[in-house]
Each structure stands twice: as structure tokens, then as C-alpha cells.
Amino acid sequence: LDVNGNINVNGTIKVKGVTCSNDLKTLSDNVKVLKGVSDCVPGKAGPTSVFKVTYNPELVSTTEIYKAIENTGGCSDPDDRPYKVKGN
């Protein structure tokens, strides 16, 4: 429980297709704005990047978090959707 008495879960999400540090920040920011997510800390860019997410499962589902990642536009082509969540 956090200071407000909310249930918070720490999870890791593996994401393919992250090629630069701008991608990491954009993806992290898009996850952090979800209601129920208190933090999203990106790892390093590479073939598979790991994001550490702290969230309240009563307010946001992992499916919603995955969608926020996979619906993020690429840094070289904003119309592209290059990011894929790997089975966690």
C-alpha cells in the first residue's frame, strides 16, 4: 500500500522496437499519464527494452498499459507503430 492506502503493483514490461532514448522517454510518458500508473522507469534502448511500471490494478489493467505502449508512434515516423510488448 502507498501513503494513500492504494494498492500498488510493481511490474516489468518487455518492449521490442525501441531504438533510441527519445523512444524510451515517449513510451514512459505515455504510460505515466494513464490513471492508476504512478511510475514508469525505462531501461536501455535495444532489441528488447524493459520498463519498470508501478500501478494500481484496481484503476488500470496491464492490457491498457500494453495498448498505451503499442499505440505510441515511432520517433522517425509518427504514423508508424513499431513497438510491441513481448510476452511477460
Side-chain angles (χ1 to χ4, degrees), residues 12-24:
T12 56
I13 299 173
K14 295 175 185 166
V15 182
K16 293 181 358 186
V18 182
T19 56
C20 69
S21 57
N22 285 345
D23 296 353
L24 293 170

Side-chain angles (χ1 to χ4, degrees), residues 3-88:
V3 291
N4 298 318
N6 295 317
I7 299 167
N8 276 325
V9 173
N10 293 313
T12 56
I13 299 173
K14 295 175 185 166
V15 182
K16 293 181 358 186
V18 182
T19 56
C20 69
S21 57
N22 285 345
D23 296 353
L24 293 170
K25 181 175 178 354
T26 303
L27 289 162
S28 178
D29 289 347
N30 284 354
V31 171
K32 281 188 206 173
V33 298
L34 294 172
K35 182 177 165 72
V37 173
S38 53
D39 202 12
C40 180
V41 179
K44 294 183 170 115
T48 302
S49 300
V50 176
F51 290 78
K52 292 184 178 165
V53 182
T54 304
Y55 65 98
N56 180 337
E58 293 179 358
L59 298 176
V60 66
S61 70
T62 52
T63 303
E64 290 171 286
I65 295 170
Y66 297 168
K67 277 187 188 165
I69 291 168
E70 293 189 343
N71 287 333
T72 299
C75 70
S76 56
D77 180 359
D79 294 328
D80 191 19
R81 298 291 178 266
Y83 314 111
K84 297 289 173 239
V85 173
K86 256 179 118 175
N88 289 305

